Each structure stands twice: as structure tokens, then as C-alpha cells.
């Protein structure tokens, strides 16, 4: 085979690759890091923005909109002692809604989205792209060339660079940041249990007021039935009924806003004095500790704010801002002001303040719509819980679970059976166990305020590393946020014995599971890295690897993106034969929300061509769903065929270890050559290169003609390897998975033995096997067992 030097290749093939890339590459944004925002072209259309804003009501604002059902009751669980306390509490609600949802989230936090994705993991992914914060360092330099992998560099002496180095210097700081993210995730899971309970229970509570003869037990049964039906329908998805969510929530906001204006006019317009912050001072001066502890109830007025950011993925930031400022914010202010006006004249009815303030003529329609809004709010938090569980599993912080798509169009509509039934059981237990809104409200308040504190901490790093704000501006944001959130958190500490312990217990259980799983996975990965097979030893065995090479393809699944895994040596030292073609398949999740399908596979060659050994890294984002099926296998082999064909154009760039086409050729693999198979690809590549080469500078024509004969020889050899790959694939594909048992060493500490030998081992037994997650057919599966000590 003719070989070409690197210098000649730069003149010939690399020049043609550059020309081909100019024709085939999609446009990038100004920063060069990602696709243009999918809303950029449409955001100029006012009609489209209004449509998005309308749709966001049914997804984002359900939880925030149902808070008026229970806020005043939770603020005054022991009754109203002074009518002026109502104005003080209303003033707190008004300024809480202004400072937290409006100013902090809608206009600041929502800007910290990861290509349109919001939530705790989106912030963490942004940070991981701007600093080396991943606790399992499985990234490759080629990953940074992905379209969705947008990041920037720092000036060495900048404050951002100093912060980056400070975070990267010690593993403890990386682990602490990850634990902080997991704490926020656990609280989101807790909110997914508590929000359906308090929303549905508060909505159906109005039945008892309309039918006084109905007992509390019957109301409780109705609430439980609604919850059971809600969770049982999750596996069917909500795509067919989501179109009605937005009209329900919009009608709900218009109703509570209109009822609020009606109550202000009918009862007492002096409630509007609450817009003066002076009444907050008077409220605390008069009530002291009682006023302080009542903040736990006021806190419920801003629950659902985190959902506003977490459910950002299908809407532009501008549409979220329009919906909140035009509809949500004024309607909530009107609703709370109307209830306050009613309570100024009817302070004894604080328990059922919302329903008692409704005009009799529209009581039952409002009750029905309130129940519908409660279901919408519950659905949003359940979906958010499924999403964060999947994202946690993507960063190796949650055991393997079955993830199912319930929508062909919306990737965020997923269903996790195990988590769904756990949520349902815990939600019913909370509803039946507490039976009232007050204690569930205390629990929900603690969960939400902790998530807000986590978001504030992550936003500080986002402002420093990503936005490059001046440290003074960051300090102002931090202080203002902490003043509000720490104040609420301190007040809720008094409610721990009144239901506030529930989210803490739930978070402790899930945090233990996540940390134990991540610790065990990290130790397993470290073992794989340190015990991988050396390439000189592989090369010393010769092309046959010292074994009989039988027809077929062996797909060896590994966690390593580089190197030959230890389990491979364990495999062929115990078996006398090996497949003619071996492909090491690595499923790798990156700190991006998604990886484009065209960029999914990264193929490398291991050793020389005679070895017929390859590595294929399948890259996914935290929102992507990997399904090991025929489609995945077909795409894998298509990428392998393209690699072999295109490798001939870059002959001379490979070394004895590994060879990658992840630089100049990545975009050719994903754009101009997608959709072709073997023979079509051969002719198409030759024609494309020929046509592009004909338009290059005249000085290169002579050099290109001189290389033509060598290229023809290379093409013949390449076609032979392609035919070998096809024949081996037709002979059969075997999936080789490792079945590794991880145990702690004898000299390990007690905590390590508990984490590895008991918690991690139990989770591995309870979670789904790799064969189920990858959907590998039993007839083509080969499990290779090994026991390792970490």
C-alpha cells in the first residue's frame, strides 16, 4: 500500500477536506460553539411569540398558579389575630413574587439556559463545559468540537480564570459541587411527591364547602382517586391532551384575577395599601416570632418558580417573560389582594378563604377548573421528576432504570415505571398521612427553598465563569438572593416538626442512593482505567492476537473511551477463538443537552488494519435517550463503513496506537456522506473529492494527479476491507457485555465497605441489567464475568 507523508496530505487531502467542509458544514453561531437558536428566526414574529407564551402557561405556570388555594391558610394556621396582619402578609407575598419569580428567575436565571434547557443539571453542564469539574473524566478533546458543545476560554489573569483554577485544584471541591447539585435534584424529587398532594387536596377541599354534609374522609378519597388515576395514566403520555392544558391554566388565571378584582371592590379596597413595604416592617414589629414563622406560609406563594426554569426547554426566554409579566404576575397579585380584602372583613374564614371569596353563581365552575389546574400542576412536577432522574443517571448518579418515550415529537416527555410507582405510593402516603394542607405546605416550602438556594450557588459560578460578570455585580445578586431565601429557610426550620421533616427524609434516602451509586461507578471506572490492556502487548500478539479468528463481529461494550478494557484480556485468555472484526463500543454521556444524530458516533481504529479492531464511541447528552436496537446497530455499522472509506483519503495520519477522524472528517461523516451505504459511498466520495478537487488552486493540480495512482491502490484495499466487514456482519453479531462484581478490599475503611459491599451491591441487584437497558437479544449475548476489588 502506498503511504503518504503528512506534508503531502496537507497539500492534497486536507486542502480538499477544507473545501468540502465549506460546502457541507451547517452554519454556526457567532461564538462558533453551537447551532443558531431554533427560535432566532421566529422570535421576530410577534404572533409566534404570543403562541409560545400561551403554550407555556399550560406547562410552566400550573404550580405557581394554584398557590392561591392554600397560601393564606398556611400563613395563618392558628387564625388571624389582627386584621392588619393580613395586609402585612399580603405585602410580603407581593414583594416575594416581585423579587424571586419576576426579577431573579424570569429576567436573570432563565438567561442561564443550556441551549434552551433549564434546571439544575443544565447549570451544572454549563459549568462542566467551562471548567474541568466532572468527577469521571471520560471526555475527549474531540467532544469539544460538537455543535452543541459551546464554551469559551479565559484570560489567564482574569477573575474567571482564577475561579476556574480554584475549582479544578482539588477533587473535594468537584465532589462538593456535585453533591450540591444532587441535593437540589433530591429536593425536586421531593417536590414531585408533595406538589400533587397539596394541589389536588386543596382543589377538592372545596367540595366540602359546597356540600357541608360531606365528610373529610370522602374528600380524602376523592383526592386519592384523582392521584391514582393521574399516576396510572403516565405510561400513556400526555401528548394527546396537552393542547388543553394551556386553555385551562389561562382560564384559571383570568378567573382568579377577575375574582380578586371583584373582592377588592366588594369587600375592602384598603388591602391595596400592602403595596407599601412599610407594612412588612409593622408586621414583624407587631408579631415578632409568630410573624417570622408565618413566612413558611408566605413562601408557598412562590412555589413553582423552579418549575418555571426547569420546564424552559420547549419555549424561548422571551415567551416565558411575556407570559409571566402579562398574565401570571398581574393575575396573581389581583388574586392575593382579593383574598386579603375578603379576609379583612371575614377573618374567621381563613381556612377556606379562597373558596369562600368566590361568588356563589360561579362556585362550581371555579371548583372544576381549580381541579383541572391542580392536575396540570401535578403533571408538570411529575414530568420534571422523571427528567431529573434521567439526567442524574446520565452523569452516573442514579441506578439504571427503564426510560420510555411517551411522545414521538417531544423528547422531554418520558416515563420511568419504577419511579412513577414510587412517587404514587409516597404521594398517597403523604396525602392520607397528613390529611391537611398546612403540614404538606410546610414540607413543600422546605423542598422549594433548598432548590432555590442551590440555584443561587450555581448561578454565582455561572456569572463568574460563563457570563464573566464583574465580581461586584455577582456579590449584589448573591446578597439580594440570600437575604430573601435564607430568611424563608430560617422561618421554615421552625416547621420541621410540623411536616417539614418529610422532604428532608426523602432527600436523605435519594441522596444516599445517588452518592453510593456514583461512588461505586467511579471506583469501577478508576479500575478500568488503571488496568486497561497496553497496546504494545496487543501489537506483540500479531494480527490474529494469538487466537483463531472466526467469521463474525464482536461488539465489546466498555466504559473506556480510550484503550482496551481489562475485560477483553479476561475474555480471550479463557476462550480459544475471537471474531474476525472486534468493535469496542463505549456509551458516553457528555455535559450537553443533546448530541446531534449526525455527530453521534466517533470511530477510531485500534492497531494496524490487519487487526480489524475498532472503537466506536456513541455520544449522548443528558436529554438524549439511548436505545440499543436495530436502528442503533445499523447506524453504528454505517459509521464504521464511512470511517474505513474516508480513512483512505487521510492515509498516513494514523499511528500505531489509535487513529481518529474526529478533526477534519467529523463533519463529512455527519453531513455530506450520511445516508449512503457501502458501494454508493465509494462512488460518491470519489466523485465528491474529484469535483471539489477540480475547483482548487491550479498549483495543486499536478500534485493531485501524481497521487491518483496511489489513491486507486488504496481504494482497492479499502473496498476489500469493506467487503470483509459486510461478510462478517452477515455471519452474525455478538454483543459482549461485562458482568462485573465490585467488592471493597479487605483493608478498606468501614464506610467504604458499607458503601460498596452493601449499598452499591444492593442497588446493582435491584436496578435493571445492562442487557435490558441496551435491549440486547439473548440469542446474541455473551456475558463475561469478573470480580474486582476496589
Amino acid at each position: 500500500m502506498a503511504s503518504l507523508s503528512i506534508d503531502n496530505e496537507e497539500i492534497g487531502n486536507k486542502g480538499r477536506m477544507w473545501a468540502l467542509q465549506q460546502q457541507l458544514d451547517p452554519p454556526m453561531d457567532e461564538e462558533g460553539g453551537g447551532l443558531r437558536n431554533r427560535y432566532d428566526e421566529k422570535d421576530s414574529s410577534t404572533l409566534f411569540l404570543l403562541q409560545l407564551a400561551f403554550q407555556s402557561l399550560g406547562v410552566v405556570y400550573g404550580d405557581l398558579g394554584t398557590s392561591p388555594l392554600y397560601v393564606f391558610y398556611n400563613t395563618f394556621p392558628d387564625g388571624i389575630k389582627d386584621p392588619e396582619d393580613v395586609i402585612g402578609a399580603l405585602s410580603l407575598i407581593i414583594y416575594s413574587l416581585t423579587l424571586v419569580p419576576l426579577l431573579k428567575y424570569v429576567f436573570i436565571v432563565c438567561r442561564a439556559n443550556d441551549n434552551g434547557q433549564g434546571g439544575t443539571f443544565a447549570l451544572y453542564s454549563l459549568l462542566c463545559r467551562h471548567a474541568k469539574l466532572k468527577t469521571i473524566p471520560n471526555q475527549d478533546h474531540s467532544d469539544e468540537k460538537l455543535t452543541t458543545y459551546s464554551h469559551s476560554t479565559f484570560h489567564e489573569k482574569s477573575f474567571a480564570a482564577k475561579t476556574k483554577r480554584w475549582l479544578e485544584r482539588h477533587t473535594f471541591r468537584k465532589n462538593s459541587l456535585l453533591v450540591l447539585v444532587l441535593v437540589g435534584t433530591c429536593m425536586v424529587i421531593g417536590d414531585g411527591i408533595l406538589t400533587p398532594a397539596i394541589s389536588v387536596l386543596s382543589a377538592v377541599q372545596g367540595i366540602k364547602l359546597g356540600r357541608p354534609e360531606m365528610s373529610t374522609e370522602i374528600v380524602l378519597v376523592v383526592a386519592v382517586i384523582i392521584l391514582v388515576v393521574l399516576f396510572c395514566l403516565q405510561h400513556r403520555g400526555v401528548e394527546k391532551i396537552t393542547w388543553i392544558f394551556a386553555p385551562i391554566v389561562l382560564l384559571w388565571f383570568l378567573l382568579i384575577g377577575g375574582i380578586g378584582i371583584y373582592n377588592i371592590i366588594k369587600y375592602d379596597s384598603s388591602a391595596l395599601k400592602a403595596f407599601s413595604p412599610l407594612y412588612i416592617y409593622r408586621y414583624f414589629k407587631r408579631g415578632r416570632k409568630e410573624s417570622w414563622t408565618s413566612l413558611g406560609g408566605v413562601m408557598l406563594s412562590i412555589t413553582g418558580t423552579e418549575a418555571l426554569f426547569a420546564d424552559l426547554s420547549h419555549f424561548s426566554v422571551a415567551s416565558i417573560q411575556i407570559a409571566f409579566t402579562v398574565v401570571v404576575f398581574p393575575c396573581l397579585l389581583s388574586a392575593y389582594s382579593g383574598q386579603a380584602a375578603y379576609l379583612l372583613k371575614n377573618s374567621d374564614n381563613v381556612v377556606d378563604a379562597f373558596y369562600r371569596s368566590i361568588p356563589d353563581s360561579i362556585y362550581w365552575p371555579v371548583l372544576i377548573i381549580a381541579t383541572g389546574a391542580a392536575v396540570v400542576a401535578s403533571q408538570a412536577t411529575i414530568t420534571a421528576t422523571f427528567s431529573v432522574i434521567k439526567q442524574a443517571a446520565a452523569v452516573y448518579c442514579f441506578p439504571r432504570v427503564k426510560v420510555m418515550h411517551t411522545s414521538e415529537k417531544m423528547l422531554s416527555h418520558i416515563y420511568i415505571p419504577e419511579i412513577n410507582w414510587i412517587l404514587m405510593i409516597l404521594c398517597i402516603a403523604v396525602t392520607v398521612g397528613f390529611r391537611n394542607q398546612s403540614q404538606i405546605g410546610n414540607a413543600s416550602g422546605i423542598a422549594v427553598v433548598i432548590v432555590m438556594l442551590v440555584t443561587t450557588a450555581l448561578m454565582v459560578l455561572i456569572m463568574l465563569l460563563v457570563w464573566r460578570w464583574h465580581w461586584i455585580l455577582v456579590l449584589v445578586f448573591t446578597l439580594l438572593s440570600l437575604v430573601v431565601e435564607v430568611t424563608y429557610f430560617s422561618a421554615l426550620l421552625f416547621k420541621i416538626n410540623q411536616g417539614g421533616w418529610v422532604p428532608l427524609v426523602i432527600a436523605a434516602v435519594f441522596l444516599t442512593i445517588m452518592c453510593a451509586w456514583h461512588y461505586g461507578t467511579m471506583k469501577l471506572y478508576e479500575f478500568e482505567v488503571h488496568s486497561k490492556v497496553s497496546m504494545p502487548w496487543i501489537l506483540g500478539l500479531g494480527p490474529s492476537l494469538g487466537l483463531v479468528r472466526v467469521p463474525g463481529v464482536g461488539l465489546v461494550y466498555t466504559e473506556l473511551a480510550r484503550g482496551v478494557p481489562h475485560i477483553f484480556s479476561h475474555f480471550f485468555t479463557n476462550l480459544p477463538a475471537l471474531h474476525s472484526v472486534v468493535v469496542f463500543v463505549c456509551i458516553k454521556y457528555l455535559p450537553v443537552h443533546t448530541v446531534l444524530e449526525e455527530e453521534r458516533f466517533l470511530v477510531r481504529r485500534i492497531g494496524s488494519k490487519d487487526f480489524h479492531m475498532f472503537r466506536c464511541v456513541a455520544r449522548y447528552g443528558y436529554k438524549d435517550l439511548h436505545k440499543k436496537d436495530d436502528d442503533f446497530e445499523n447506524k453504528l455499522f454505517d459509521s464504521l463503513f464511512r470511517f474505513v472509506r474516508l480513512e483512505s483519503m487521510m492515509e498516513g495520519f494514523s499511528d500505531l496506537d489509535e487513529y481518529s477522524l474526529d478533526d477534519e472528517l467529523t463533519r463529512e461523516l455527519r453531513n455530506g456522506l450520511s445516508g449512503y451505504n457501502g458501494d454508493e459511498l465509494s462512488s460518491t466520495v470519489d466523485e465528491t473529492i474529484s469535483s471539489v478537487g477540480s475547483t482548487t488552486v491550479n498549483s495543486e493540480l499536478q500534485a493531485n494527479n501524481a497521487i491518483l495512482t496511489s489513491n486507486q491502490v488504496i481504494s482497492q484495499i479499502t473496498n476489500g476491507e469493506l467487503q470483509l466487514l459486510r461478510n462478517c456482519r452477515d455471519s452474525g453479531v455478538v454483543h459482549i457485555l461485562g458482568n462485573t462484581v465490585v467488592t471493597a478490599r479487605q483493608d478498606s475503611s468501614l464506610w467504604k465497605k458499607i458503601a460498596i459491599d452493601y449499598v452499591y451491591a444492593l442497588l446493582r441487584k435491584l436496578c435493571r441489567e445492562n442487557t435490558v437497558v441496551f435491549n440486547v437479544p439473548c440469542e446474541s449475548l455473551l456475558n463475561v464475568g469478573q470480580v474486582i476489588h476496589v
Side-chain angles (χ1 to χ4, degrees), residues 390 393-394 398-404 416 418 517 557 559 587 589 620 624-629 632 737 764 766-777 781:
K390 181 191 175 301
F398 202 83
R400 295 181 296 268
V401 291
K402 184 178 182 181
V403 180
M404 302 167 55
I416 305 177
E418 300 95 324
W517 184 264
Y557 289 84
E559 298 293 334
I587 308 297
Y589 284 90
Y620 293 85
D624 292 330
L625 178 63
H626 165 63
K627 292 182 67 177
K628 175 62 198 73
D629 50 19
F632 174 84
L737 274 72
R764 283 181 67 92
L766 295 177
C767 74
R768 292 180 181 266
E769 296 290 340
N770 275 328
T771 54
V772 178
V773 176
F774 295 156
N775 195 25
V776 176
L781 171 66

Side-chain angles (χ1 to χ4, degrees), residues 390-652:
K390 181 191 175 301
Q391 292 169 13
V395 294
Y396 312 101
C397 290
F398 202 83
R400 295 181 296 268
V401 291
K402 184 178 182 181
V403 180
M404 302 167 55
H405 271 302
T406 59
S407 171
E408 296 181 357
K409 299 178 181 178
M410 311 291 278
L411 288 179
S412 62
H413 288 182
I414 60 176
Y415 170 68
I416 305 177
E418 300 95 324
I419 301 302
N420 183 68
W421 304 125
I422 291 174
L423 291 180
M424 186 186 77
I425 293 171
L426 293 178
C427 185
I428 293 174
V430 168
T431 305
V432 175
F434 287 130
R435 294 183 171 223
N436 66 79
Q437 309 163 23
S438 179
Q439 292 182 320
I440 303 177
N442 295 334
S444 179
I446 287 183
V448 170
V449 75
I450 291 178
V451 177
M452 289 182 177
L453 288 169
V454 170
T455 301
T456 298
L458 295 177
M459 281 300 301
V460 171
L461 296 176
I462 292 292
M463 291 174 175
L464 292 173
L465 297 179
V466 182
W467 292 351
R468 318 288 178 80
W469 280 17
H470 194 279
W471 66 269
I472 295 179
L473 292 176
V474 178
L475 182 62
V476 171
F477 170 83
T478 306
L479 291 177
L480 289 176
S481 298
L482 291 181
V483 164
V484 177
E485 292 161 7
V486 172
T487 300
Y488 279 125
F489 182 69
S490 63
L492 285 164
L493 291 178
F494 292 99
K495 302 296 183 71
I496 288 180
N497 63 339
Q498 302 173 32
W501 56 269
V502 172
L504 300 180
V505 172
I506 294 173
V509 173
F510 277 96
L511 186 62
T512 301
I513 292 173
M514 291 179 174
C515 290
W517 184 264
H518 183 73
Y519 181 73
T521 305
M522 184 175 61
K523 289 299 179 183
L524 178 59
Y525 180 80
E526 290 175 356
F527 174 85
E528 293 284 353
V529 170
H530 292 135
S531 62
K532 61 184 179 181
V533 181
S534 65
M535 283 307 302
W537 183 72
I538 292 284
L539 297 175
L541 296 175
S544 66
L545 299 177
L547 301 170
V548 177
R549 302 295 290 267
V550 297
V553 178
L555 300 182
V556 183
Y557 289 84
T558 174
E559 298 293 334
L560 295 179
R562 284 188 177 274
V564 178
H566 173 265
I567 199 169
F568 183 66
S569 63
H570 184 68
F571 167 72
F572 73 72
T573 53
N574 289 276
L575 291 176
L578 186 67
H579 300 90
S580 297
V581 176
V582 176
V583 182
F584 295 96
V585 182
C586 174
I587 308 297
K588 183 169 68 172
Y589 284 90
L590 300 174
V592 295
H593 74 287
T594 187
V595 176
L596 299 182
E597 194 67 36
E598 312 88 76
E599 300 176 324
R600 177 81 66 211
F601 296 98
L602 178 64
V603 181
R604 294 185 174 107
R605 184 186 292 278
I606 298 178
S608 65
K609 290 189 175 182
D610 295 338
F611 282 71
H612 303 303
M613 295 174 62
F614 303 89
R615 169 173 293 102
C616 182
V617 181
R619 302 175 290 187
Y620 293 85
Y622 56 83
K623 298 287 282 187
D624 292 330
L625 178 63
H626 165 63
K627 292 182 67 177
K628 175 62 198 73
D629 50 19
D630 292 337
D631 186 53
F632 174 84
E633 187 176 300
N634 290 334
K635 291 177 181 178
L636 188 152
F637 277 102
D638 287 343
S639 299
L640 190 60
F641 293 150
R642 287 192 219 110
F643 172 85
V644 172
R645 183 59 197 169
L646 288 170
E647 186 185 33
S648 65
M649 296 184 294
M650 298 292 288
E651 193 70 30

Side-chain angles (χ1 to χ4, degrees), residues 743-757:
T743 60
R745 293 194 300 266
Q746 291 294 328
D747 58 346
S748 300
S749 64
L750 177 62
W751 291 111
K752 184 176 181 178
K753 289 181 179 180
I754 293 174
I756 297 295
D757 294 342

Side-chain angles (χ1 to χ4, degrees), residues 16 58 119 128 216 254-255 260 273 332 352 357 392 412 491 525 544 569 587 623 629 634 672 697 709 727 773 785:
R16 287 185 290 238
C128 287
T216 304
L254 294 178
L255 276 175
K273 293 188 295 184
L332 287 177
D352 302 311
S357 64
S412 62
Y525 180 80
S544 66
S569 63
I587 308 297
K623 298 287 282 187
D629 50 19
N634 290 334
V697 183
T709 303
N727 293 338
V773 176

Side-chain angles (χ1 to χ4, degrees), residues 181-407:
V181 172
L182 295 181
V183 168
T185 302
C186 293
M187 289 301 170
V188 172
I189 297 172
D191 193 40
I193 296 168
L194 298 168
T195 294
I198 191 172
S199 298
V200 173
L201 185 60
S202 300
V204 300
Q205 199 75 35
I207 299 176
K208 186 178 178 181
L209 186 63
R211 291 287 186 268
E213 69 277 5
M214 188 174 292
S215 64
T216 304
E217 285 72 18
I218 295 179
V219 173
L220 199 62
V221 169
V222 173
V224 169
I225 291 175
I226 293 175
L227 290 172
V228 170
V229 172
L230 176 64
F231 282 101
C232 287
L233 292 178
Q234 290 300 311
H235 72 284
R236 295 184 176 273
V238 294
E239 183 181 11
K240 295 180 180 179
I241 58 174
T242 48
W243 62 271
I244 203 173
F245 282 3
I248 289 176
V249 177
L250 176 61
L251 183 58
W252 168 252
F253 276 116
L254 294 178
L255 276 175
I256 63 175
I259 292 171
I261 295 173
Y262 169 82
N263 288 332
I264 292 172
I265 297 173
K266 179 179 179 180
Y267 293 105
D268 196 338
S269 61
S270 64
L272 298 178
K273 293 188 295 184
F275 282 87
S276 170
L278 178 64
Y279 287 91
I280 297 178
Y281 169 75
R282 293 180 179 178
Y283 180 64
F284 286 119
K285 182 179 180 181
R286 184 172 51 254
R288 298 184 181 275
K289 183 179 178 180
E290 290 185 2
S291 297
W292 190 268
T293 56
S294 70
L295 288 174
V298 176
M299 171 69 201
L300 297 178
S301 64
I302 55 177
T303 57
T305 303
E306 274 299 321
L308 181 152
F309 179 49
D311 294 327
L312 185 65
S313 57
H314 302 299
F315 310 100
S316 65
V317 174
S319 65
I320 295 288
Q321 293 171 342
I322 290 174
F324 189 84
T325 54
V326 174
V327 178
V328 179
F329 188 63
C331 288
L332 287 177
L333 293 184
S334 176
Y336 286 118
S337 299
Q339 283 191 55
Y342 172 81
L343 289 173
L344 286 174
K345 299 297 184 181
N346 305 273
S347 58
D348 295 335
N349 295 332
V350 68
V351 176
D352 302 311
F354 176 80
Y355 283 111
R356 289 186 181 275
S357 64
I358 299 174
D360 294 337
S361 58
I362 60 172
Y363 181 84
W364 289 106
V366 171
L367 175 61
I368 294 172
I369 296 173
T371 305
V375 170
V376 173
S378 303
Q379 179 60 52
T381 56
I382 294 170
T383 302
T385 303
F386 291 156
S387 179
V388 298
I389 291 288
K390 181 191 175 301
Q391 292 169 13
V395 294
Y396 312 101
C397 290
F398 202 83
R400 295 181 296 268
V401 291
K402 184 178 182 181
V403 180
M404 302 167 55
H405 271 302
T406 59
S407 171

